[in-house]
Amino acid sequence: MKKLLFISNLKSGKNQIKPHFSAIIDMFVAAGYEVTVHTTQAVKDAYQVAAARGSDYDLVVCSGGDGTLDEVVSGLIGLKKQPVLGYIPAGTTNDFAKSLGISSNMTAAAANVLHGAPFAIDVGVFNDRYFAYVAAFGAFTDVSWQTPQELKNTFGHLAYLMEGLKSLPSITPHRMTVEFDDEVITDSFAYGMVTNSVSVGGFKSIGGKGMELDDGLFEMLLVRMPKNLFELQAIMSAFLLQKVDERYMFFAKVKRVHFSSEKEISWTLDGEEGGCWKEVELSNMKQAIRILRPADKAELQKVKEEYEALDMKEQTEKDQ
């Protein structure tokens, strides 16, 4: 009998996995799997379980938000016998699920685990750690992990905006030297990210169009420190329009990049706290882990369109 390890963070999102929990396990059993369930008990628990037990299973499925996915990916990446990974998104933003075309519907996502096709995705290396889809520093990067879970559950994306507004007065410049390919940039940046996702923080990424998750390249965006309100407004407009304003932004595709600064700078990895560093080496592990996504291209496009429609509906409701 095939063996499946189901790692679930029941506290992610609005506890949306709970009403479907039994039905999902039943789906796995009916498909011929011997299912072992582990519900996470603390931070890094998903990582430790995936690393210690993942190689004993044919399939590892995780349910939770982007942080839970990050932990499971990090736990599996070092295994010699690496199982295929299934993902049932149950967080507040589910950024990487959008990139993979995995439905936000619990049972549809579980069906994708059983009928989807393995897809080898790139994984990021951040000094001695791994990340699934984004490493970032500067303005607003601490919003995700500082926003209380209760606030996320109640207000969803609006919770991030509410918390982000609090940090506006504290935006500070980060003087950094950035080295990649044959280029060296030294400037003061308000924000920077290296990503492999069409969505970051629940909002479409500027580099999302034409992005490939398996090409061995990350999209790097650096935002220079605004000197006045006019420049800040121009930067915010560029984010809203998902366009690079070359007056204040720098965008490039990179395989490896080195950041250095005189002072320690706080980073986040997949929306979770990543520590404070003066030196950061980022690199791309091409097609490092296999994850299940919709096998049919039409279905993949349909799910992406559903996400876009849901985002538009949420934005309309906020505007009203």
Side-chain angles (χ1 to χ4, degrees):
M1 182 176 285
K2 297 176 292 184
K3 298 176 66 177
L4 184 155
L5 174 61
F6 185 30
I7 302 173
S8 181
N9 182 351
L10 300 180
K11 296 180 181 179
S12 290
K14 300 178 181 179
N15 303 314
Q16 54 186 311
I17 187 69
K18 286 186 177 181
H20 310 281
F21 199 77
S22 298
I24 289 172
I25 294 174
D26 186 60
M27 289 174 65
F28 294 155
V29 173
Y33 283 97
E34 177 185 338
V35 181
T36 300
V37 176
H38 180 88
T39 56
T40 59
Q41 303 298 306
V43 176
K44 299 299 182 184
D45 189 24
Y47 164 79
Q48 293 168 358
V49 171
R53 303 169 63 184
S55 59
D56 297 332
Y57 293 84
D58 303 290
L59 175 62
V60 171
V61 180
C62 82
S63 175
D66 296 316
T68 305
L69 177 65
D70 172 275
E71 288 192 27
V72 174
V73 167
S74 297
L76 296 178
I77 200 72
L79 298 179
K80 291 183 178 180
K81 181 187 175 184
Q82 192 182 95
V84 176
L85 175 61
Y87 182 40
I88 300 177
T92 305
T93 57
N94 302 317
D95 281 319
F96 205 51
K98 296 177 184 179
S99 299
L100 292 165
I102 298 174
S103 176
S104 58
N105 178 279
M106 296 286 101
T107 53
N112 172 70
V113 169
L114 298 174
H115 305 294
F119 176 63
I121 60 169
D122 300 340
V123 173
V125 182
F126 178 96
N127 289 346
D128 59 348
R129 291 178 57 178
Y130 300 103
F131 64 96
Y133 75 96
V134 65
F137 70 87
F140 308 126
T141 55
D142 60 349
V143 167
S144 180
W145 57 267
Q146 283 191 352
T147 304
Q149 187 64 52
E150 295 77 12
L151 200 60
K152 293 180 187 178
N153 293 346
T154 304
F155 295 104
H157 293 168
L158 183 59
Y160 293 102
L161 296 177
M162 292 165 61
E163 198 69 20
L165 287 173
K166 297 179 184 177
S167 67
L168 275 174
S170 61
I171 295 178
T172 56
H174 298 287
R175 188 73 179 175
M176 305 180 76
T177 296
V178 185
E179 302 173 66
F180 62 99
D181 298 334
D182 296 323
E183 294 195 49
V184 178
I185 301 172
T186 300
D187 209 331
S188 294
F189 300 107
Y191 175 78
M193 70 176 180
V194 177
T195 184
N196 195 39
S197 175
V198 300
S199 174
V200 178
F203 303 96
K204 286 186 179 179
S205 170
I206 285 180
K209 292 183 179 179
M211 179 182 292
E212 300 292 340
L213 306 181
D214 61 346
D215 61 357
L217 297 172
F218 284 130
E219 282 67 32
M220 179 177 71
L221 177 69
L222 303 173
V223 179
R224 295 182 175 90
M225 186 67 190
K227 297 183 178 67
N228 50 54
L229 287 176
F230 172 80
E231 292 188 0
L232 178 60
Q233 183 178 8
I235 291 169
M236 297 303 292
S237 296
F239 272 107
L240 291 172
L241 295 172
Q242 291 140 33
K243 293 182 179 180
V244 175
D245 188 330
E246 294 183 352
R247 296 173 298 173
Y248 315 113
M249 297 174 166
F250 181 88
F251 177 82
K253 289 182 177 289
V254 298
K255 178 178 176 58
R256 185 183 300 273
V257 58
H258 184 86
F259 294 85
S260 58
S261 58
E262 293 181 359
K263 298 180 179 180
E264 289 188 340
I265 293 176
S266 176
W267 286 75
T268 64
L269 304 178
D270 296 335
E272 304 295 323
E273 188 174 3
C276 296
W277 306 85
K278 289 183 178 180
E279 302 282 338
V280 167
E281 182 79 16
L282 280 162
S283 60
N284 184 299
M285 294 178 64
K286 186 177 181 180
Q287 301 177 13
I289 195 164
R290 294 174 299 156
I291 190 167
L292 294 160
R293 71 172 186 177
D296 184 81
K297 290 185 178 180
E299 180 63 23
L300 180 64
Q301 182 60 33
K302 179 182 176 183
V303 172
K304 289 183 177 180
E305 290 174 355
E306 288 175 352
Y307 266 118
E308 290 179 358
L310 181 60
D311 287 341
M312 290 180 62
K313 180 181 177 182
E314 290 180 349
Q315 186 59 53
T316 301
E317 291 175 348
K318 291 173 188 176
D319 293 341
Q320 291 176 345

